[in-house]
Amino acid sequence: MPKIISTVQIAANALQRGELVAFSTETVYGLGAIATDSAAVKKVYDYKGRPYNHPLILHVHHPSQLLHWCHNIPKIATKIAEAFMPGPLTLLLPKKDIHTEFTAHSDYLAVRIPSHPVAQQLLQAVNSGVVAPSANRFGYISPTCAQHVQEEFSDKDDLLILDGGNCSIGIESTIVGFVHEDYFIARPGDITSTAIEKLLNKKPIDIPITTRAPGLLKKHYSPNTPLQLCTKDEIAIKLLADKDTAVAVLAFTRPLLHSPQHTWLAAPLDAKEYAHVLYKSLRAIDVSPATSILIEIPPLTDEWLAIHNRLQRAAGGYD
Ligand code: TXA
Ligand code: MG
């Protein structure tokens, strides 16, 4: 069983010895390793069961470190970094000719500067880049508290988890990529496309989604229990037809439940609050008797885009 600790220096020493340390960020918990330690990076892939051709995000504590790893940074990327870093944002930047084991031969490097104080302290203490994918097994939902990480890696006795409480945001960072001085949203997140558009006074471009990156796979971020996205009316019909099965419903208002097997989880009406509880709710359903999940489709406004993205992937139906 991994050990949950709260002393940053112990975590930093372990990382420097080549061990893995899961740590909190404001988005989700990451499974950290020193980026230049090839053996530790390999261990991250092995622990997650993640294919080696899926690149990892590099975490640093200060924007000045971007220049150590990246070059030819587009002007608009600098502007976005100044506005939103540290924060729930990852930038895909042209990589310097540095040997890296974690970029899957891409010319681009994904870089993040988390704002969570525990992540900041850890990154400062190691004073080196740390790769950190979400601290879950490949394909499953990201962890948003130390206990989730402990459950994910219950067989890994040598793993340390640096506890930073519940993640305030609860879903993974917004990923932004660049084509010259244009930008695209590779993964929607808490920082919305509208917020970036306002800052730059420029709309994002559309690029074809490659299915090579794991966060961009059709099915990813999935609970074990089959999940369906439905309208309020569809939920009512399904519950009526399915009186004998254990169904969990995540909906904005209480549906008519027809049997003690049906359970309702109240979905928050605010998008940020919804993101904050989403993965925790899905994990709770996974350990409940429910054999299926019905989720009421959230509003279609920009602030809900990241949630739609995660829900559609969790349901396995995103194109
Ligand atoms: O909020 C987050 O971003 C969390 C926390 C721990 O920082 N991390 C996270 O990492 O979500 P991960 O590995 O679960 O998702 C990283 C995403 C994947 O979709 C990956 O393919 C993409 O970033 N990515 C990483 N490096 C890339 C690159 N060089 N080019 C394109 N996509 C990249
Ligand atoms: Mg992940």
Side-chain angles (χ1 to χ4, degrees):
M1 182 81 104
K3 195 167 164 199
I4 299 179
I5 59 166
S6 53
T7 312
V8 171
Q9 198 55 50
I10 294 177
N13 294 345
L15 280 174
Q16 277 161 340
R17 281 197 306 273
E19 290 168 26
L20 304 191
V21 174
F23 62 96
S24 54
T25 81
E26 67 278 23
T27 56
V28 299
Y29 274 66
L31 182 63
I34 298 287
T36 48
D37 182 337
S38 343
V41 170
K42 183 177 179 299
K43 210 166 159 187
V44 169
Y45 281 96
D46 293 345
Y47 271 38
K48 273 186 71 85
R50 179 171 178 145
Y52 293 115
N53 64 349
H54 290 166
L56 305 177
I57 297 179
L58 177 78
H59 295 63
V60 295
H61 71 85
H62 194 269
S64 60
Q65 290 167 303
L66 300 182
L67 297 169
H68 173 73
W69 298 88
C70 306
H71 62 171
N72 302 332
I73 300 177
K75 283 194 194 73
I76 59 165
T78 305
K79 207 164 172 188
I80 295 175
E82 281 166 4
F84 299 115
M85 284 177 150
L89 174 76
T90 296
L91 298 181
L92 301 175
L93 299 175
K95 182 171 118 19
K96 274 189 183 166
D97 195 16
I98 299 175
H99 182 68
T100 46
E101 239 90 29
F102 59 89
T103 47
H105 307 292
S106 168
D107 295 334
Y108 292 87
L109 179 72
V111 202
R112 216 194 131 201
I113 307 175
S115 63
H116 193 297
V118 168
Q120 273 286 329
Q121 287 162 25
L122 180 67
L123 293 168
Q124 284 178 37
V126 294
N127 197 25
S128 141
V130 169
V131 287
S134 52
N136 52 276
R137 306 275 176 159
F138 184 63
Y140 195 56
I141 22 190
S142 300
T144 57
C145 65
Q147 285 71 26
H148 291 169
V149 183
Q150 203 174 36
E151 286 156 21
E152 286 282 332
F153 296 105
S154 58
D155 58 330
K156 306 290 185 200
D157 295 336
D158 58 347
L159 179 66
L160 290 181
I161 304 167
L162 182 60
D163 196 352
N166 290 323
C167 300
S168 56
I169 290 172
I171 54 169
E172 307 78 5
S173 59
T174 306
I175 303 182
V176 180
F178 302 91
V179 179
H180 305 295
E181 291 293 330
D182 282 317
Y183 70 101
F184 59 92
I185 309 286
R187 178 174 72 184
D190 184 71
I191 294 172
T192 60
S193 148
T194 309
I196 298 172
E197 201 178 313
K198 246 191 204 158
L199 173 81
L200 302 174
N201 203 12
K202 192 176 201 177
K203 285 196 180 303
I205 55 168
D206 244 343
I207 58 142
I209 291 178
T210 144
T211 50
R212 187 148 171 241
L216 308 177
L217 288 177
K218 195 167 175 183
K219 191 164 165 67
H220 202 70
Y221 312 112
S222 303
N224 297 325
T225 319
L227 180 159
Q228 270 182 288
L229 291 172
C230 309
T231 63
K232 204 188 289 275
D233 289 345
E234 285 165 351
I235 290 175
I237 294 164
K238 283 180 192 290
L239 288 179
L240 190 61
D242 249 349
K243 283 187 189 146
D244 298 328
T245 23
V247 184
V249 183
L250 180 64
F252 295 101
T253 50
R254 192 179 201 282
L256 196 55
L257 305 176
H258 298 276
S259 92
Q261 306 243 57
H262 295 163
T263 50
W264 171 56
L265 279 88
L269 291 162
D270 174 70
K272 283 187 187 287
E273 185 50 29
Y274 193 109
H276 178 65
V277 300
L278 176 63
Y279 289 155
K280 197 177 182 169
S281 306
L282 294 179
R283 279 175 185 266
I285 294 170
D286 263 352
V287 293
S288 80
T291 53
S292 68
I293 314 175
L294 303 179
I295 298 192
E296 183 178 346
I297 300 168
L300 278 162
T301 52
D302 185 55
E303 55 183 335
W304 288 91
L305 192 68
I307 290 164
H308 275 277
N309 170 274
R310 304 309 189 275
L311 290 177
Q312 276 160 343
R313 288 183 206 288
Y318 195 91
D319 286 313

